[in-house]
Amino acid sequence: MSHLVNYIENRRTFAIIAHPDAGKTTLTEKLLLFGGAIQLAGAVKARGDARRARSDWMKVEQERGISVASSVMTFDYGEQTFNLLDTPGHEDFSEDTYRTLTAVDSAVMVLDGAKGVESQTKKLFEVCRLRDVPIVTFVNKMDRESRDTFEILDEIEQSLALDVTPATLPIGMGRDFLGCYDLINDQLILMERTKGSKIGAGIKVAGLDDPKLDELLPAHAVKKLREDVDMARGLCPEFDHQAYLEGTMTPVFFGSAVNNFGVRELLDGLAKYAPSPRPQQASTRMVQPSEPKVTGIVFKIQANMDPKHRDRIAFMRINSGHFKRGMKLKHLRSGKMINLHNPVLFMAQDREVAEEAVAGDIIGIPNHGNLRIGDTLSETEDLRFIGVPTFAPEYLQKARPADPLKAKHLGKALQQIAEEGGACVFKPNLGADWIVGVVGPLQFEVLADRIRTEYEIPVHFEQTELYTARWIEAPDDKQLKDFVDSNRGATGVDHDGAPVYMARNAWHLNKATEDFPAIKLQKTKEQS
Ligand code: GDP
């Protein structure tokens, strides 16, 4: 039992949020490098059970032609095991990202030092805020001309309404970037301009008055640093661990990912301050990570890229217990037992414990469509985790098969895609078309491509008059029927048969709510 608690306390499950091009990929690589996972990835030294786990995972990757492994990257650093959950990189804000953020305990927000808080940063941050996810900020690309340090700190504070405290302060920038001063540990970290895997060590100084500073840095840099530290200590609140854990304060690290600079301090910060797996809310009670029985929730489904096989990988976050390969878990939605003899584990390859997982870890479960987003699996107790919702789409288009005879096939394909969480699919009460809804318009292209290649149905999407959709919640069946009868042309059902209202504009939406005050039109739907 104490063994389990120890495991869990040393877990850090997190994601990186960033606007495209800020340096998420570069930072990810560097984190893996510091964690030793990159060297390991190339080495074929797995043995025994570990080898079995590894080859399963490779088989899965080959069959699917996609990188399952990169969805979750696990690495050790010091005492800690980090699980870094990847979020899709493209511009379109997708539900996938949203749901992945429901499975982490903290996040790292990467900003480009010259650009500050950008549009995508803000959107992703808002998602984290919804769940009070603690955030550490990494201001990247300090080796380039960047904005003034205090201007950046101020922008984070103003545009995200978040308390900000620098954990490090940069010394110079661009070509004159020399390094950082670590305010938490009172140490100087000088940058070596080496790429690759070389990592410079920090130099311990006894505070800002230490004469070593004057030896190591040019006079003007020391003067500026002392002024900056004074200013930071005068203007910014002190680091408050509790406020960080509650998601109201972010410590800010400065660095240059491409030069491996500032990455270690960031990792040290995460190791020291980021939360271990948090208790999770189930319908009946809170579930503590150290409880002995295994529970977990599916937050993401990755579809098969091979049209001949309809199997998928469900990503489950373990919320409690000690999972071992071969375990049987109850699938609460169907009431059936599922044998997890072939899960994909994302542990570093040569670990002895590669067959196990604890709270905060992610396992991939190959399945044929029986597992859906939001599903709970549990060893014994009947409970249901909440908080992995489906979002009302912001873009709605009609899906039409190029060949009208394929309409039925298209319906099936759309049903499957909706079950995977790839899009919302609505069948209007009137008419024969399928309405497909997404949160970012780029997703239509991705969908059309998937349907063409995976299901061999050429399809096109057409504009509609529709503005948005809402799930209808009624106090009873009679009131639901009244509402649907008087809005026949604007209602339908989703892939689960749940009633939806599709509005042509904001005015219609308001009118519908005013006319039927007992009806609630919901922007999100929890998995039933
Ligand atoms: P992502 O879109 O957020 O994943 O960003 P990438 O990691 O792909 O980085 C975008 C570009 O910025 C690439 O050309 C990187 O080489 C570059 N880059 C990343 N980190 C740094 C840095 O610290 N300094 C500089 N000068 N360039 C960087």
Side-chain angles (χ1 to χ4, degrees):
M1 196 48 199
S2 66
H3 185 55
L4 186 61
V5 171
N6 201 20
Y7 262 170
I8 297 164
E9 273 176 2
N10 287 324
R11 283 284 183 289
R12 300 285 180 271
T13 300
F14 74 108
I16 300 178
I17 60 172
H19 190 86
D21 228 34
K24 189 180 80 168
T25 313
T26 311
L27 181 63
T28 301
E29 267 173 37
K30 303 301 179 178
L31 289 170
L32 295 177
L33 184 73
F34 274 80
I38 284 188
Q39 289 102 298
L40 277 175
V44 191
K45 55 178 181 181
R47 64 199 133 81
D49 281 350
R51 184 191 291 141
R52 186 145 49 86
R54 180 176 144 85
S55 61
D56 283 352
W57 151 13
M58 295 207 318
K59 198 168 119 238
V60 166
E61 288 209 346
Q62 277 164 6
E63 277 175 0
R64 286 172 178 76
I66 46 163
S67 180
V68 172
S70 71
S71 301
V72 184
M73 288 156 279
T74 297
F75 59 94
D76 288 342
Y77 178 77
E79 295 287 294
Q80 264 82 23
T81 297
F82 288 79
N83 294 318
L84 170 52
L85 273 55
D86 192 33
T87 48
H90 61 73
E91 287 263 0
D92 250 4
F93 178 61
S94 78
E95 289 194 275
D96 225 22
T97 307
Y98 216 119
R99 296 198 192 100
T100 297
L101 291 175
T102 67
V104 300
D105 300 299
S106 72
V108 172
M109 175 168 75
V110 180
L111 306 180
D112 180 325
K115 296 189 176 150
V117 177
E118 297 177 81
S119 58
Q120 193 84 343
T121 330
K122 220 168 160 170
K123 275 187 167 178
L124 293 164
F125 170 77
E126 291 305 334
V127 178
C128 292
R129 159 124 65 202
L130 277 179
R131 314 187 78 238
D132 302 324
V133 172
I135 292 177
V136 169
T137 304
F138 184 75
V139 180
N140 191 28
K141 306 197 188 182
M142 292 307 292
D143 59 306
R144 284 203 192 155
E145 281 312 309
S146 308
R147 288 203 206 158
D148 173 71
T149 310
F150 290 95
E151 200 186 305
I152 296 174
L153 294 174
D154 193 51
E155 186 184 340
I156 302 169
E157 181 173 345
Q158 297 297 326
S159 65
L160 304 179
L162 196 62
D163 286 335
V164 171
T165 187
T168 63
L169 276 179
I171 305 167
M173 68 169 75
R175 269 202 234 161
D176 302 324
F177 181 55
L178 299 171
C180 283
Y181 189 78
D182 175 345
L183 288 169
I184 298 176
N185 304 303
D186 256 328
Q187 67 177 0
L188 184 68
I189 322 140
L190 294 179
M191 184 169 90
E192 290 175 84
R193 287 189 185 259
T194 45
K195 298 197 179 183
S197 59
K198 237 183 131 195
I199 300 157
I203 300 167
K204 198 87 190 153
V205 288
L208 283 170
D209 297 325
D210 191 328
K212 250 202 280 180
L213 274 182
D214 302 284
E215 285 165 31
L216 292 163
L217 297 171
H220 69 275
V222 181
K223 185 165 174 279
K224 172 95 172 50
L225 172 65
R226 288 188 175 127
E227 283 167 13
D228 280 358
V229 172
D230 269 353
M231 193 154 150
R233 294 205 161 128
L235 287 177
C236 305
E238 253 184 70
F239 176 64
D240 174 346
H241 192 198
Q242 195 53 33
Y244 157 71
L245 291 176
E246 286 164 8
T248 60
M249 173 182 270
T250 183
V252 181
F253 293 80
F254 291 82
S256 166
V258 84
N259 291 297
N260 295 328
F261 186 79
V263 179
R264 187 201 346 246
E265 288 66 36
L266 175 71
L267 261 174
D268 285 338
L270 290 173
K272 197 160 171 192
Y273 303 116
S276 54
R278 307 202 285 183
Q280 301 289 321
Q281 183 70 52
S283 49
T284 40
R285 63 184 186 88
M286 285 299 267
V287 173
Q288 300 299 325
S290 57
E291 290 180 19
K293 296 292 180 193
V294 174
T295 62
I297 181 166
V298 174
F299 64 94
K300 168 177 166 154
I301 306 272
Q302 200 150 39
N304 195 352
M305 302 298 274
D306 179 349
K308 289 180 206 77
H309 299 106
R310 280 273 84 91
D311 54 342
R312 312 161 179 176
I313 295 261
F315 289 82
M316 178 169 87
R317 178 190 154 109
I318 308 268
N319 283 340
S320 67
H322 192 168
F323 173 83
K324 296 193 182 84
R325 174 193 286 266
M327 241 179 181
K328 276 198 179 117
L329 295 179
K330 190 167 177 188
H331 177 228
L332 273 302
R333 191 167 47 77
S334 68
K336 290 192 179 130
M337 295 303 285
I338 296 188
N339 196 336
L340 281 84
H341 52 82
N342 201 20
V344 185
L345 294 144
F346 301 96
M347 312 299 284
Q349 289 96 332
D350 68 347
R351 289 170 60 96
E352 294 291 317
V353 288
E355 300 280 291
E356 307 171 313
V358 300
D361 289 339
I362 312 298
I363 61 171
I365 309 169
N367 71 98
H368 296 284
N370 47 337
L371 289 176
R372 295 194 194 168
I373 285 167
D375 280 357
T376 298
L377 296 187
S378 162
E379 199 176 336
T380 46
E381 188 181 341
D382 279 2
L383 50 71
R384 188 172 63 82
F385 288 108
I386 49 185
V388 184
T390 298
F391 296 89
E394 288 171 27
Y395 301 88
L396 294 156
Q397 296 199 354
K398 269 182 202 166
R400 288 254 174 84
D403 173 359
L405 293 175
K406 291 263 169 113
K408 215 170 145 189
H409 286 101
L410 177 63
K412 271 199 185 141
L414 291 172
Q415 172 78 19
Q416 285 192 344
I417 287 169
E419 284 170 8
E420 284 162 20
C424 287
V425 174
F426 304 131
K427 186 84 194 140
N429 289 333
L430 301 177
D433 293 314
W434 295 95
I435 304 290
V436 175
V438 294
V439 277
L442 207 93
Q443 280 175 270
F444 285 120
E445 276 170 49
V446 178
L447 281 176
D449 200 50
R450 274 195 58 189
I451 296 170
R452 221 177 355 252
T453 50
E454 287 177 40
Y455 298 89
E456 292 168 12
I457 310 169
V459 60
H460 47 258
F461 287 98
E462 291 170 11
Q463 294 289 346
T464 60
E465 302 270 88
L466 297 171
Y467 154 78
T468 188
R470 295 283 187 271
W471 282 276
I472 307 168
E473 220 178 82
D476 55 54
D477 288 352
K478 161 94 177 57
Q479 297 197 56
L480 175 64
K481 187 170 179 306
D482 288 348
F483 179 83
V484 170
D485 285 348
S486 34
N487 290 287
R488 211 86 219 128
T491 49
V493 290
D494 74 1
H495 68 281
D496 271 337
V500 285
Y501 176 77
M502 287 167 279
R504 267 186 289 139
N505 53 41
W507 183 85
H508 274 119
L509 189 63
N510 280 337
K511 180 96 174 58
T513 353
E514 277 167 21
D515 290 350
F516 291 84
I519 298 285
K520 288 210 181 88
L521 296 176
Q522 304 287 17
K523 265 181 116 159
T524 57
K525 182 182 114 170
E526 280 280 341
Q527 195 64 52
S528 48

